[in-house]
Amino acid sequence: MGIVAGLDSSSAFTHIVVCDTDTGAVLRQGYAAHPVEAKASEVDPQAWLLSLGEAASGGLLEGVQAIGVSAQQHGLVPLDHQGNLVRPALLGNDRRAQVAAADLIDGLGGRQAWAEAVGSVPQAAQPVAKLRWLARAEPENAQRVAAVAQPHDWLVWQLLGRPARRTTDRGAASGTGYWSAGTGSYRPDLVELALGHQAALPEVLGPADCAGTTPEGLLISAGTGETMAAAFGLGVAVGDAVVSLGASGSVMAVHHEALADTTGMITSFADATGMHLPVVHTSNAVRALRGTAEMLGVEGLEELSALALKSTPGASGLVLLPYLEGERTPRLPHTAGTLSGLRREAMKPEHLARAAFEGMLCSLADALDVLRGRGVEVRRVFLLGAAAELPAVRALAPAVFGTQVVVPQPAEYAALGAARQAAWALGVSQGTLDPRTPPAWQGAAAQVLEPGEELAEGRAVRQQYAATRDQIHPGAFGTGASGTGAFGAGASGTGAFGAGASGAGAFGAGASGTGAFGAGASGAGASGVDVGAGA
């Protein structure tokens, strides 16, 4: 038995797990918060090292043979010719580069040009946009930048004693905006477009490669970004999708090829195994639940969940389009949320509560269908986030997603993924593992939920939602695309139950505009009410 460690340096803390190389069993753990202000958008990277040292204290790493590093994504660490910081690192939550991202899109000739070049369209969070912001807002600092790194790259480099060689991996590189997962190569011209001059970029290692050995003799694996490490720690494979429920949402799935998406809805990441990890983001997820809870005056999400389960599928015709902060999927950045289907009998707290859960899940199901529409196989969905524990989410998700749902027990999956990568690199270096096959660690403990008899109800919920969405935002997913293709819906979100042009008929409703659940004449959304603020 060997021993390896995985460390995850997130935006707020460092978590370390020490694992058995053969089984992945966690032997011990360490934790420490970063000594930085909450929600800081820039930071001295030394804070990450201080946190790491505290988390690893008390002999935590005794006997460890290899370490893998996972870290927060989309950070930018600008370095001068001597490898010293030019300025504090810019973090992923820094939104000052929004205008810079728009400038870059225009500078290369539009969204399609970027999607074809690197598999993503610039966003404010990405390093490429941060470089353009730096060039415009701090030109003197920009001129001093000789090399750029992300948090994971910088931490690996520090652990190795700051060698001349700097490294990264496919996963982290794929989020920069200047490395293509499709071609497996950098686009230095995009760095120059953003920064105004060239800069040294870290060497991109393969999934089982070794970044080097520390002065103390510890092997350091390639490392990766948090998203890729978490997927690796969960053990997701082809046919698996991961839906993350935060204030905003994301849907990612393992796929055999990179996906270039000219709409910009798909970001084409690479994963930690040599495969690809296309991701679709939604601007709104749990924020819609919290907003509904505040509107109803309930104490929290547990109470909102219990209230929602007192309603029936379809929420008595209420449909909530949860676009409270604008929306990325579909691309409606300046829209607001909509509450539709208001009739006297529907105006009860339990129906609004259920509409919030159904709306959130239908929006994420739309994101899933974006991937399905590009040939991504989805046989089961891993559901992550604290909201995945809510009874209403567990009750509704399998039917709305139309597939098996797996809710893993809470664990430090990014740190586990980093440890698994360390075990892989160690095994390859010792000749005991194949560089094409990661170690077969025990999968995450989880509850498995099947759609069962509720599948038809889930289809009807999707139809009702799609009919409203397409009425309020016609063409949001393109001509003839309703985002409900998994259920065979047509341009108006109808079809699975023989519904007419307005979304009627899912439960035998007539052609007069009645809703998918037998709603009255306004069930298709004619009485929609805006409930959110624009982006």
Side-chain angles (χ1 to χ4, degrees), residues 499-516:
S502 67
F507 281 117
S512 62
T514 55

Side-chain angles (χ1 to χ4, degrees), residues 70 110 151 155 185 289 325 331 334 387 396 402 438 450 462 485 504 516:
S70 158
L155 283 167
S185 59
L289 301 184
E325 298 287 338
R331 189 166 179 265
H334 305 299
L396 275 58
E450 301 286 353
R462 294 285 314 273

Side-chain angles (χ1 to χ4, degrees), residues 151-382:
H152 135 249
D153 313 336
W154 188 84
L155 283 167
V156 166
W157 184 57
Q158 294 291 326
L159 290 174
L160 292 173
R162 296 166 57 103
R165 177 196 189 212
R166 296 188 186 93
T167 64
T168 188
D169 88 305
R170 297 170 64 254
S174 65
T176 59
Y178 44 79
W179 186 88
S180 168
T183 64
S185 59
Y186 279 117
R187 287 288 303 267
D189 59 310
L190 299 183
V191 175
E192 187 169 3
L193 175 66
L195 186 60
H197 61 87
Q198 293 287 341
L201 304 172
E203 176 187 344
V204 181
L205 301 179
D209 288 346
C210 170
T213 305
T214 70
E216 297 78 23
L218 289 175
L219 181 148
I220 305 295
S221 64
T224 194
E226 267 190 317
T227 297
M228 300 78 192
F232 195 40
L234 280 166
V236 299
V238 172
D240 294 332
V242 179
V243 174
S244 296
L245 299 176
S248 56
S250 68
V251 178
M252 62 182 177
V254 179
H255 196 49
H256 63 277
E257 63 180 353
L259 298 177
D261 175 42
T262 57
T263 69
M265 284 192 287
I266 299 176
T267 300
S268 194
F269 287 147
D271 80 344
T273 71
M275 298 285 282
H276 295 272
L277 200 66
V279 180
V280 178
H281 295 276
T282 66
S283 301
N284 304 276
V286 178
R287 77 169 79 250
L289 301 184
R290 295 198 183 282
T292 304
E294 291 177 11
M295 180 184 291
L296 292 174
V298 301
E299 288 298 321
L301 297 187
E302 286 285 351
E303 187 174 339
L304 186 73
S305 172
L307 193 61
L309 292 177
K310 294 178 181 178
S311 180
T312 54
S316 191
L318 285 186
V319 175
L320 176 66
L321 302 183
Y323 306 156
L324 307 183
E325 298 287 338
E327 189 48 72
R328 290 181 63 176
T329 306
R331 189 166 179 265
L332 299 166
H334 305 299
T335 193
T338 302
L339 180 62
S340 173
L342 287 169
R343 296 178 307 282
R344 176 63 188 90
E345 64 271 21
M347 297 177 72
K348 296 180 179 179
E350 60 265 29
H351 299 322
L352 178 55
R354 184 158 188 129
F357 281 95
E358 290 181 347
M360 178 189 74
L361 292 171
C362 283
S363 176
L364 290 163
D366 280 352
L368 264 177
D369 280 350
V370 170
L371 294 179
R372 285 169 165 149
R374 294 296 304 276
V376 177
E377 183 181 9
V378 179
R379 293 193 302 269
R380 62 176 178 171
V381 170
F382 284 79

Side-chain angles (χ1 to χ4, degrees), residues 62 110 131 133 216 229-230 272 299 368 371 416 437 481 494 499:
E62 185 176 345
L131 288 175
W133 176 85
E216 297 78 23
E299 288 298 321
L368 264 177
L371 294 179
L416 287 168
T437 308
T494 65

Side-chain angles (χ1 to χ4, degrees), residues 41-230:
S41 60
E42 55 181 67
V43 66
D44 183 344
Q46 292 295 326
W48 306 332
L49 291 179
L50 291 172
S51 172
L52 193 163
E54 183 179 348
S57 63
L60 184 77
L61 300 180
E62 185 176 345
V64 166
Q65 299 164 275
I67 297 175
V69 177
S70 158
Q72 58 182 304
Q73 291 172 240
H74 301 316
L76 177 71
V77 184
L79 304 172
D80 64 16
H81 285 286
Q82 286 72 44
N84 298 318
L85 279 175
V86 169
R87 69 172 321 283
L90 297 166
L91 303 185
N93 64 346
D94 190 332
R95 291 294 181 265
R96 288 176 290 183
Q98 287 180 333
V99 173
D103 288 345
L104 286 173
I105 293 171
D106 293 339
L108 194 64
R111 304 173 70 84
Q112 181 172 349
W114 278 96
E116 292 173 350
V118 292
S120 64
V121 178
Q123 302 283 340
Q126 287 184 297
V128 70
K130 289 177 167 60
L131 288 175
R132 169 57 71 95
W133 176 85
L134 194 62
R136 295 289 187 267
E138 300 177 2
E140 292 184 2
N141 281 337
Q143 284 296 321
R144 294 175 54 212
V145 175
V148 293
Q150 293 189 86
H152 135 249
D153 313 336
W154 188 84
L155 283 167
V156 166
W157 184 57
Q158 294 291 326
L159 290 174
L160 292 173
R162 296 166 57 103
R165 177 196 189 212
R166 296 188 186 93
T167 64
T168 188
D169 88 305
R170 297 170 64 254
S174 65
T176 59
Y178 44 79
W179 186 88
S180 168
T183 64
S185 59
Y186 279 117
R187 287 288 303 267
D189 59 310
L190 299 183
V191 175
E192 187 169 3
L193 175 66
L195 186 60
H197 61 87
Q198 293 287 341
L201 304 172
E203 176 187 344
V204 181
L205 301 179
D209 288 346
C210 170
T213 305
T214 70
E216 297 78 23
L218 289 175
L219 181 148
I220 305 295
S221 64
T224 194
E226 267 190 317
T227 297
M228 300 78 192

Side-chain angles (χ1 to χ4, degrees), residues 391-421:
V393 170
R394 294 189 176 207
L396 275 58
V400 171
F401 293 154
T403 192
Q404 182 187 87
V405 169
V406 179
V407 184
Q409 290 184 2
E412 298 299 328
Y413 289 110
L416 287 168
R420 190 180 179 200
Q421 187 196 67

